[in-house]
Short mmCIF file of all heavy atoms in Angstrom, two decimals:
data_model
loop_
_atom_site.label_atom_id
_atom_site.label_comp_id
_atom_site.label_asym_id
_atom_site.label_seq_id
_atom_site.Cartn_x
_atom_site.Cartn_y
_atom_site.Cartn_z
N GLN A 118 -93.13 69.65 45.89
CA GLN A 118 -93.86 69.85 47.29
C GLN A 118 -94.47 68.65 47.74
O GLN A 118 -95.31 68.08 47.01
CB GLN A 118 -94.83 71.09 47.03
CG GLN A 118 -94.07 72.37 46.75
CD GLN A 118 -95.13 73.47 46.60
OE1 GLN A 118 -96.15 73.33 45.86
NE2 GLN A 118 -94.92 74.61 47.16
N ARG A 119 -94.39 68.34 48.98
CA ARG A 119 -95.21 67.35 49.67
C ARG A 119 -96.60 67.92 50.04
O ARG A 119 -96.68 69.15 50.24
CB ARG A 119 -94.45 66.85 50.90
CG ARG A 119 -93.22 65.98 50.67
CD ARG A 119 -93.61 64.61 50.55
NE ARG A 119 -92.39 63.69 50.22
CZ ARG A 119 -92.53 62.44 50.16
NH1 ARG A 119 -93.73 61.88 50.34
NH2 ARG A 119 -91.53 61.64 49.90
N TYR A 120 -97.55 66.99 50.17
CA TYR A 120 -98.87 67.54 50.55
C TYR A 120 -98.91 67.82 51.94
O TYR A 120 -98.43 67.03 52.86
CB TYR A 120 -99.90 66.48 50.21
CG TYR A 120 -101.25 66.90 50.59
CD1 TYR A 120 -101.93 67.89 50.08
CD2 TYR A 120 -101.91 66.22 51.68
CE1 TYR A 120 -103.20 68.32 50.49
CE2 TYR A 120 -103.13 66.62 52.03
CZ TYR A 120 -103.80 67.66 51.49
OH TYR A 120 -105.08 68.06 51.94
N VAL A 121 -99.46 68.96 52.33
CA VAL A 121 -99.60 69.36 53.73
C VAL A 121 -101.11 69.78 53.90
O VAL A 121 -101.59 70.57 53.07
CB VAL A 121 -98.70 70.49 54.13
CG1 VAL A 121 -98.97 70.93 55.52
CG2 VAL A 121 -97.25 70.11 54.03
N VAL A 122 -101.80 69.28 54.83
CA VAL A 122 -103.24 69.61 55.00
C VAL A 122 -103.35 71.15 55.31
O VAL A 122 -102.76 71.59 56.23
CB VAL A 122 -103.92 68.75 56.04
CG1 VAL A 122 -105.32 69.17 56.25
CG2 VAL A 122 -103.75 67.32 55.62
N ASP A 123 -104.24 71.88 54.54
CA ASP A 123 -104.52 73.23 54.85
C ASP A 123 -105.78 73.13 55.78
O ASP A 123 -106.76 72.73 55.37
CB ASP A 123 -104.83 73.99 53.60
CG ASP A 123 -105.02 75.48 53.80
OD1 ASP A 123 -105.43 75.87 54.88
OD2 ASP A 123 -104.61 76.28 52.93
N PRO A 124 -105.67 73.75 57.00
CA PRO A 124 -106.74 73.56 57.95
C PRO A 124 -107.98 74.53 57.55
O PRO A 124 -109.10 74.28 58.10
CB PRO A 124 -106.12 74.03 59.26
CG PRO A 124 -104.99 74.96 58.91
CD PRO A 124 -104.53 74.35 57.56
N GLU A 125 -107.74 75.48 56.70
CA GLU A 125 -108.82 76.41 56.30
C GLU A 125 -109.78 75.73 55.42
O GLU A 125 -109.52 75.07 54.41
CB GLU A 125 -108.23 77.60 55.60
CG GLU A 125 -107.42 78.60 56.46
CD GLU A 125 -108.40 79.22 57.51
OE1 GLU A 125 -109.49 79.68 57.11
OE2 GLU A 125 -107.79 79.44 58.62
N PRO A 126 -111.14 75.71 55.76
CA PRO A 126 -112.09 75.05 55.03
C PRO A 126 -112.33 75.82 53.73
O PRO A 126 -112.17 77.03 53.59
CB PRO A 126 -113.41 75.17 55.86
CG PRO A 126 -113.18 76.38 56.75
CD PRO A 126 -111.62 76.47 56.98
N TYR A 127 -112.75 74.97 52.71
CA TYR A 127 -113.11 75.59 51.41
C TYR A 127 -114.48 76.29 51.58
O TYR A 127 -115.41 75.65 52.05
CB TYR A 127 -113.20 74.48 50.31
CG TYR A 127 -111.96 73.99 49.72
CD1 TYR A 127 -111.50 72.74 49.78
CD2 TYR A 127 -111.42 74.92 48.79
CE1 TYR A 127 -110.30 72.31 49.25
CE2 TYR A 127 -110.27 74.54 48.16
CZ TYR A 127 -109.72 73.22 48.25
OH TYR A 127 -108.52 72.86 47.63
N VAL A 128 -114.48 77.47 51.11
CA VAL A 128 -115.75 78.20 50.97
C VAL A 128 -115.78 78.74 49.57
O VAL A 128 -114.87 79.58 49.25
CB VAL A 128 -116.05 79.32 52.01
CG1 VAL A 128 -117.39 79.90 51.88
CG2 VAL A 128 -115.93 78.70 53.45
N LEU A 129 -116.62 78.30 48.72
CA LEU A 129 -116.50 78.54 47.25
C LEU A 129 -117.37 79.51 46.69
O LEU A 129 -118.46 79.79 47.13
CB LEU A 129 -116.64 77.14 46.51
CG LEU A 129 -115.72 76.02 46.96
CD1 LEU A 129 -116.27 74.74 46.52
CD2 LEU A 129 -114.33 76.33 46.43
N PHE A 130 -116.88 80.09 45.61
CA PHE A 130 -117.64 81.05 44.76
C PHE A 130 -117.16 81.07 43.37
O PHE A 130 -115.92 81.14 43.19
CB PHE A 130 -117.74 82.46 45.33
CG PHE A 130 -118.40 83.55 44.46
CD1 PHE A 130 -119.81 83.59 44.59
CD2 PHE A 130 -117.81 84.39 43.57
CE1 PHE A 130 -120.54 84.51 43.83
CE2 PHE A 130 -118.49 85.20 42.84
CZ PHE A 130 -119.88 85.29 42.92
N PHE A 131 -117.93 80.97 42.44
CA PHE A 131 -117.42 80.87 40.98
C PHE A 131 -118.18 81.89 40.22
O PHE A 131 -119.19 82.53 40.66
CB PHE A 131 -117.76 79.48 40.47
CG PHE A 131 -117.01 78.45 41.04
CD1 PHE A 131 -117.60 77.61 42.00
CD2 PHE A 131 -115.64 78.09 40.75
CE1 PHE A 131 -116.94 76.59 42.62
CE2 PHE A 131 -115.03 77.15 41.34
CZ PHE A 131 -115.63 76.33 42.30
N PRO A 132 -117.65 82.29 39.09
CA PRO A 132 -118.28 83.41 38.26
C PRO A 132 -119.83 83.17 38.04
O PRO A 132 -120.16 81.95 37.67
CB PRO A 132 -117.51 83.27 36.96
CG PRO A 132 -116.14 82.82 37.22
CD PRO A 132 -116.41 81.79 38.39
N PRO A 133 -120.65 84.04 38.40
CA PRO A 133 -122.13 83.81 38.34
C PRO A 133 -122.51 83.34 36.93
O PRO A 133 -123.55 82.61 36.87
CB PRO A 133 -122.68 85.19 38.72
CG PRO A 133 -121.60 85.88 39.48
CD PRO A 133 -120.39 85.45 38.89
N GLU A 134 -121.86 83.70 35.90
CA GLU A 134 -122.26 83.31 34.58
C GLU A 134 -122.12 81.78 34.30
O GLU A 134 -122.66 81.29 33.38
CB GLU A 134 -121.43 84.09 33.46
CG GLU A 134 -121.68 85.54 33.38
CD GLU A 134 -120.95 86.40 34.47
OE1 GLU A 134 -120.24 85.75 35.20
OE2 GLU A 134 -121.30 87.54 34.66
N TRP A 135 -121.42 81.09 35.16
CA TRP A 135 -121.26 79.70 35.06
C TRP A 135 -122.52 78.98 35.59
O TRP A 135 -122.66 77.73 35.28
CB TRP A 135 -120.06 79.17 35.87
CG TRP A 135 -118.74 79.57 35.26
CD1 TRP A 135 -118.57 80.42 34.23
CD2 TRP A 135 -117.43 79.19 35.66
NE1 TRP A 135 -117.24 80.56 33.94
CE2 TRP A 135 -116.45 79.87 34.80
CE3 TRP A 135 -116.96 78.45 36.72
CZ2 TRP A 135 -115.12 79.65 35.05
CZ3 TRP A 135 -115.64 78.27 36.97
CH2 TRP A 135 -114.71 78.79 36.07
N HIS A 136 -123.30 79.59 36.41
CA HIS A 136 -124.59 79.10 36.91
C HIS A 136 -124.37 77.74 37.68
O HIS A 136 -125.09 76.80 37.56
CB HIS A 136 -125.54 78.81 35.79
CG HIS A 136 -125.82 80.04 35.03
ND1 HIS A 136 -126.50 81.05 35.48
CD2 HIS A 136 -125.53 80.47 33.70
CE1 HIS A 136 -126.67 82.06 34.58
NE2 HIS A 136 -126.06 81.66 33.48
N ILE A 137 -123.26 77.77 38.57
CA ILE A 137 -123.07 76.46 39.29
C ILE A 137 -123.01 76.80 40.85
O ILE A 137 -123.02 75.89 41.64
CB ILE A 137 -121.68 75.78 38.96
CG1 ILE A 137 -120.53 76.69 39.21
CG2 ILE A 137 -121.77 75.31 37.50
CD1 ILE A 137 -119.20 75.97 38.92
N ASN A 138 -123.01 78.13 41.21
CA ASN A 138 -122.95 78.42 42.65
C ASN A 138 -124.01 77.78 43.45
O ASN A 138 -123.84 77.37 44.67
CB ASN A 138 -122.92 79.87 42.82
CG ASN A 138 -121.51 80.51 42.46
OD1 ASN A 138 -120.45 79.97 42.72
ND2 ASN A 138 -121.62 81.60 41.79
N ASP A 139 -125.28 77.64 42.81
CA ASP A 139 -126.41 77.04 43.57
C ASP A 139 -126.19 75.57 43.85
O ASP A 139 -126.82 74.95 44.68
CB ASP A 139 -127.70 77.28 42.90
CG ASP A 139 -128.14 78.82 43.06
OD1 ASP A 139 -127.62 79.51 43.86
OD2 ASP A 139 -129.01 79.17 42.23
N ASN A 140 -125.20 74.96 43.14
CA ASN A 140 -125.01 73.54 43.24
C ASN A 140 -124.01 73.18 44.37
O ASN A 140 -123.79 72.06 44.65
CB ASN A 140 -124.57 72.96 41.92
CG ASN A 140 -125.51 73.11 40.80
OD1 ASN A 140 -126.71 73.24 41.13
ND2 ASN A 140 -124.97 73.16 39.57
N ILE A 141 -123.34 74.26 44.89
CA ILE A 141 -122.33 74.03 45.95
C ILE A 141 -123.08 73.75 47.16
O ILE A 141 -124.11 74.32 47.50
CB ILE A 141 -121.43 75.28 46.17
CG1 ILE A 141 -120.70 75.66 44.86
CG2 ILE A 141 -120.47 75.07 47.25
CD1 ILE A 141 -120.04 77.12 44.90
N PRO A 142 -122.62 72.69 47.98
CA PRO A 142 -123.23 72.31 49.25
C PRO A 142 -123.41 73.54 50.18
O PRO A 142 -122.56 74.41 50.31
CB PRO A 142 -122.33 71.26 49.84
CG PRO A 142 -121.62 70.65 48.73
CD PRO A 142 -121.36 71.89 47.75
N GLU A 143 -124.52 73.47 50.92
CA GLU A 143 -124.80 74.46 51.99
C GLU A 143 -123.58 74.51 53.03
O GLU A 143 -123.01 73.48 53.25
CB GLU A 143 -126.02 74.18 52.77
CG GLU A 143 -127.22 74.57 51.90
CD GLU A 143 -127.56 75.95 51.69
OE1 GLU A 143 -127.03 76.74 52.50
OE2 GLU A 143 -128.31 76.36 50.77
N GLY A 144 -123.22 75.69 53.42
CA GLY A 144 -122.11 75.82 54.33
C GLY A 144 -120.77 75.86 53.59
O GLY A 144 -119.72 76.19 54.18
N ARG A 145 -120.69 75.57 52.35
CA ARG A 145 -119.40 75.69 51.48
C ARG A 145 -119.64 76.71 50.43
O ARG A 145 -118.73 76.90 49.64
CB ARG A 145 -119.06 74.35 50.89
CG ARG A 145 -118.77 73.24 51.94
CD ARG A 145 -117.64 73.47 52.72
NE ARG A 145 -117.17 72.37 53.56
CZ ARG A 145 -116.06 72.33 54.23
NH1 ARG A 145 -115.17 73.32 54.24
NH2 ARG A 145 -115.76 71.20 54.91
N ARG A 146 -120.72 77.33 50.40
CA ARG A 146 -121.08 78.29 49.29
C ARG A 146 -120.99 79.75 49.91
O ARG A 146 -121.62 80.02 50.87
CB ARG A 146 -122.33 77.97 48.73
CG ARG A 146 -122.84 78.94 47.62
CD ARG A 146 -124.15 78.59 47.04
NE ARG A 146 -125.26 78.69 48.01
CZ ARG A 146 -125.99 77.64 48.23
NH1 ARG A 146 -125.85 76.43 47.72
NH2 ARG A 146 -126.99 77.84 49.15
N ARG A 147 -120.32 80.60 49.16
CA ARG A 147 -120.36 81.98 49.64
C ARG A 147 -121.21 82.77 48.68
O ARG A 147 -121.23 82.64 47.39
CB ARG A 147 -118.88 82.62 49.48
CG ARG A 147 -118.75 83.91 50.35
CD ARG A 147 -117.44 84.51 50.38
NE ARG A 147 -116.27 83.64 50.71
CZ ARG A 147 -116.00 83.32 52.03
NH1 ARG A 147 -116.61 83.92 53.00
NH2 ARG A 147 -114.87 82.61 52.31
N ASP A 148 -122.11 83.66 49.27
CA ASP A 148 -123.02 84.45 48.46
C ASP A 148 -122.24 85.68 47.96
O ASP A 148 -121.34 86.13 48.68
CB ASP A 148 -124.23 84.78 49.23
CG ASP A 148 -125.05 83.60 49.53
OD1 ASP A 148 -125.18 82.72 48.74
OD2 ASP A 148 -125.66 83.53 50.68
N VAL A 149 -122.67 86.19 46.80
CA VAL A 149 -122.00 87.37 46.26
C VAL A 149 -122.13 88.59 47.20
O VAL A 149 -121.18 89.42 47.29
CB VAL A 149 -122.58 87.76 44.86
CG1 VAL A 149 -123.96 88.22 44.91
CG2 VAL A 149 -121.67 88.68 44.12
N GLY A 150 -123.14 88.58 47.94
CA GLY A 150 -123.28 89.81 48.81
C GLY A 150 -122.29 89.69 49.99
O GLY A 150 -122.07 90.78 50.63
N ASP A 151 -121.72 88.53 50.24
CA ASP A 151 -120.80 88.43 51.41
C ASP A 151 -119.39 88.78 51.02
O ASP A 151 -118.56 88.98 51.83
CB ASP A 151 -120.77 87.01 51.89
CG ASP A 151 -122.11 86.53 52.50
OD1 ASP A 151 -122.81 87.45 53.07
OD2 ASP A 151 -122.46 85.35 52.46
#
């Protein structure tokens, strides 16, 4: 597969037990309530 840019922005969420969601930049972090 050749690389093709995906226009959809990354909005990230990781298992809460990892304790890294608060480190994701603002605007790229999804809250569990969402």
